[in-house]
Amino acid sequence: MICPYCNNKMEEGYINSSHELNWKKGDKKHSQGYSVNYDYNDSVLLGSFSFLKGTAVKAYCCRNCTKIIIDYSERTE
C-alpha cells in the first residue's frame, strides 16, 4: 500500500490485543477500562475478541510519516 500522506511504501502487518479493538469518536479516552456497559452506538468495531486468539486487525505502517492505517473491512473474527 502507498501512504496517502507521503506517498512512500507502507509495511503490512497487524495490530494485536488481548481485548476487543474499537474506535470511538470524541476527544476523551474511555476511562472505565473494559466496562461491560461500553457505549457501542458511536463506535466502530475494528477487531472482534476471541478468548483463544485475542484480537488482530490488519494495518499498514508508514515509518516515514509515522501513520498507521487500518482497513476494518479486513478485520479478523
Side-chain angles (χ1 to χ4, degrees):
M1 172 180 233
I2 299 300
C3 179
Y5 295 93
C6 71
N7 294 315
N8 282 342
K9 187 173 179 181
M10 300 183 83
E11 298 175 54
E12 183 178 318
Y14 286 87
I15 295 176
N16 298 303
S17 176
S18 58
H19 300 281
E20 187 174 271
L21 293 172
N22 293 287
W23 172 89
K24 185 162 174 65
K25 82 175 173 182
D27 59 357
K28 293 184 179 181
K29 293 181 181 177
H30 186 58
S31 60
Q32 278 92 25
Y34 308 107
S35 170
V36 294
N37 296 322
Y38 186 78
D39 178 15
Y40 287 98
N41 292 329
D42 291 330
S43 68
V44 174
L45 179 65
L46 301 176
S48 298
F49 173 73
S50 164
F51 283 105
L52 298 175
K53 298 178 183 176
T55 304
V57 61
K58 189 184 284 188
Y60 299 87
C61 176
C62 179
R63 294 184 189 267
N64 184 58
C65 66
T66 65
K67 304 287 189 216
I68 301 279
I69 295 179
I70 298 170
D71 181 353
Y72 64 92
S73 70
E74 298 180 22
R75 66 181 168 240
T76 57
E77 302 287 335

